[in-house]
Amino acid sequence: MSEQINQIQKLFKVNLSSIPDSEFYEQGEPIIAGGNEVRTFSKMFIEEEDFEFGLFDCIDVKTFKGLPNKNIIFNNESIVFGDFEFQQIEKLINKLCQIYGNDNLGNGKYSYDDKDAIEFGYLSRHWSENKNPAMLSFDEESGLSLTIWITE
C-alpha cells in the first residue's frame, strides 16, 4: 500500500486494504459499468460511537472484477450538523489537506467558508489530481459522503 493510503488508513477504524470482508453484505447483483463487472458491498453502523470518524454510519465498497481498484464510500444520509459534527468535519478536511494538499480549487484547511457551505446546504471538496483521489461532499438530500478511489 502507498504511503498516501497508509495515511488515509489512520483516519478510520476499518482496514481499507481488507474490505469488503465478512462484515459487509453484497447489495444486489453485479452490474456492468465501463466494461467492468462492479459489485457493491455495504456495512452499516447502528451506534454513534461506532461511526467512522464520528460521522459516517455506512460504508459502501465497489469492487471491479479482475482489478485491484476499489471505491470506498463513507456515508451518512441523515446527518444533522451540530457542534460535534462541525468539529469532526474540520478535523477531516484538515487531515485530508495534510495528506493530499490543497483541493482542486486551491482551498486548503477548513475555513468558515466550509461551515457556511454546509449551513447553506451544499459542500464539495475534491482532491482528484492524486493517485488515490478523494471527494468530500454534503447536500441536504444525499447527506454527507467521503469517497476514496483506491487505484493501486
Side-chain angles (χ1 to χ4, degrees):
M1 231 187 312
S2 75
E3 180 58 30
Q4 185 182 56
I5 295 300
N6 287 333
Q7 289 180 30
I8 294 168
Q9 174 62 66
K10 292 175 186 175
L11 302 177
F12 302 103
K13 297 177 236 173
V14 68
N15 185 335
L16 300 179
S17 64
S18 67
I19 60 174
D21 58 22
S22 61
E23 294 183 358
F24 285 72
Y25 62 92
E26 188 164 6
Q27 290 211 13
E29 295 293 317
I31 61 167
I32 304 298
N36 293 313
E37 181 181 285
V38 180
R39 298 171 74 189
T40 302
F41 300 86
S42 296
K43 178 179 180 180
M44 304 288 290
F45 302 98
I46 304 298
E47 303 297 326
E48 287 188 18
E49 62 266 10
D50 294 331
F51 287 11
E52 284 288 350
F53 210 82
L55 295 168
F56 303 105
D57 65 355
C58 178
I59 304 171
D60 292 328
V61 180
K62 295 187 182 294
T63 62
F64 304 87
K65 186 175 182 176
L67 296 172
N69 301 2
K70 57 185 163 185
N71 300 346
I72 302 171
I73 306 148
F74 297 89
N75 294 302
N76 188 333
E77 292 180 5
S78 59
I79 191 166
V80 175
F81 279 90
D83 290 341
F84 174 78
E85 290 77 14
F86 279 113
Q87 290 170 3
Q88 290 303 104
I89 282 288
E90 179 177 0
K91 288 178 189 175
L92 181 58
I93 288 173
N94 290 346
K95 291 285 188 183
L96 291 169
C97 285
Q98 284 178 346
I99 294 166
Y100 289 106
N102 290 351
D103 67 16
N104 288 12
L105 297 176
N107 296 315
K109 291 186 174 184
Y110 180 87
S111 73
Y112 286 108
D113 290 340
D114 295 307
K115 184 174 183 183
D116 288 346
I118 292 168
E119 289 175 340
F120 184 69
Y122 181 79
L123 171 75
S124 182
R125 302 279 302 257
H126 299 253
W127 293 268
S128 63
E129 298 172 8
N130 297 278
K131 181 170 176 61
N132 298 291
M135 178 178 68
L136 177 66
S137 62
F138 168 76
D139 70 60
E140 293 174 341
E141 289 183 26
S142 301
L144 180 68
S145 71
L146 171 65
T147 303
I148 301 168
W149 288 268
I150 307 293
T151 57
E152 308 187 323

